[in-house]
Each structure stands twice: as structure tokens, then as C-alpha cells.
């Protein structure tokens, strides 16, 4: 493992555990994006791509995220299993939040019409945007 001696053993275990939910072909791409997201200030895919020297062109990562043959549900389940193994508590609080990011372009990935349930007076009842779901 030349060059990897500075990566904490526990982090290697966690990443390896998560990759078990992915097809073997997707593991390298996932690890590159994950490490890039951890090293970038905000964790966005574009920043992850710029922080780490990636093997492929940007479009390869975009296509993997949008059209790849992997299941985000399987990866989420694996993440929850990891948390249950690592955190030794009787009660674990799981927070799930959906956030609407407004978009003007119909070409933005995942851009759809959503009900704006914030009831903001300066916004229409239905707006174009991307829905981001966060798990913490």
C-alpha cells in the first residue's frame, strides 16, 4: 500500500464497506468523488473534480451520477448499516431533509417543477428547481 500509509485505517474500512453496495465497475469513480468531496470546502461534485486529479473527463463523472448503473438506495442502506456498526448507542437519531434549489434552466440536471411549500410572498406557488435530499 505504498502512498496510502497516511490514510487512517478506519476511513479505509468505512470506504471499503460503502463500496460493497456498488458494482465493481463503479468503485473507482465513487472513491474519487468521495475523497474529492471530503477535501473540497463545500463538498459539491464540481469542487470535488477540481480538488483531486481525476482519471477521467468531467462528463464521465456526470454520466456516472446521472445515468450510472448503481443504486443510491443501496448505497444509502449501506451507509445506515455502517453507522449502526460504528456508533455504539441505544438510540441513533437520523435526520433527513429535502432542500429545493431554484433553477432557471430546464437543462439543469434533475430540474423539475416543484411546489414551493415555504409560502414565500415573493415566489410563485410552483417553481423550477432541483430537490436535494440530505441524510445526517
Amino acid at each position: 500500500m505504498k502512498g496510502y500509509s497516511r490514510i487512517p485505517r478506519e476511513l479505509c474500512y468505512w470506504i471499503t464497506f460503502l463500496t460493497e453496495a456498488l458494482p465493481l465497475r463503479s468503485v473507482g469513480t465513487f472513491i474519487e468523488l468521495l475523497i474529492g468531496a471530503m477535501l473540497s470546502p463545500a463538498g459539491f461534485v464540481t469542487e470535488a473534480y477540481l480538488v483531486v486529479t481525476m482519471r477521467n473527463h468531467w462528463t464521465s463523472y456526470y454520466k456516472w451520477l446521472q445515468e450510472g448503473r448503481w443504486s443510491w438506495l443501496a448505497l444509502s442502506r449501506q451507509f445506515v448499516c455502517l453507522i449502526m456498526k460504528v456508533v455504539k448507542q441505544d438510540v441513533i437519531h437520523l435526520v433527513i431533509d429535502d432542500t429545493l434549489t431554484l433553477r432557471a434552466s430546464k437543462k439543469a440536471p434533475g430540474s423539475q417543477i416543484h411546489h414551493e411549500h415555504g409560502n414565500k410572498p415573493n415566489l410563485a406557488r410552483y417553481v423550477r428547481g432541483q430537490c436535494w435530499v440530505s441524510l445526517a
Side-chain angles (χ1 to χ4, degrees):
M1 288 199 120
K2 185 178 179 186
Y4 299 102
S5 62
R6 294 184 164 208
I7 299 174
R9 178 173 288 172
E10 188 124 357
L11 180 59
C12 286
Y13 169 73
W14 295 345
I15 292 172
T16 303
F17 188 84
L18 290 175
T19 60
E20 292 173 3
L22 298 170
L24 188 57
R25 183 178 177 164
S26 294
V27 170
T29 303
F30 171 74
I31 291 173
E32 286 179 327
L33 288 173
L34 180 64
I35 297 296
M38 287 192 294
L39 294 174
S40 70
F44 293 114
V45 175
T46 306
E47 290 177 347
Y49 184 80
L50 296 173
V51 168
V52 176
T53 304
M54 300 289 198
R55 296 173 299 146
N56 301 316
H57 189 269
W58 162 252
T59 54
S60 300
Y61 300 95
Y62 170 78
K63 286 181 183 177
W64 181 77
L65 288 168
Q66 289 296 315
E67 304 162 9
R69 295 177 187 236
W70 59 281
S71 169
W72 66 270
L73 289 172
L75 187 59
S76 298
R77 278 191 292 275
Q78 192 75 349
F79 177 71
V80 171
C81 288
L82 175 65
I83 296 301
M84 290 170 51
K85 281 181 109 174
V86 172
V87 177
K88 304 293 183 196
Q89 299 287 328
D90 292 336
V91 177
I92 298 173
H93 297 278
L94 182 65
V95 178
I96 302 173
D97 181 45
D98 65 326
T99 302
L100 187 61
T101 304
L102 300 179
R103 296 288 183 237
S105 173
K106 293 180 181 180
K107 293 181 181 179
S111 176
Q112 297 178 349
I113 300 297
H114 297 275
H115 180 261
E116 206 294 295
H117 54 271
N119 296 325
K120 296 181 180 178
N122 60 333
L123 288 178
R125 196 169 263 198
Y126 293 92
V127 294
R128 175 165 297 283
Q130 294 168 309
C131 186
W132 298 88
V133 178
S134 304
L135 174 67

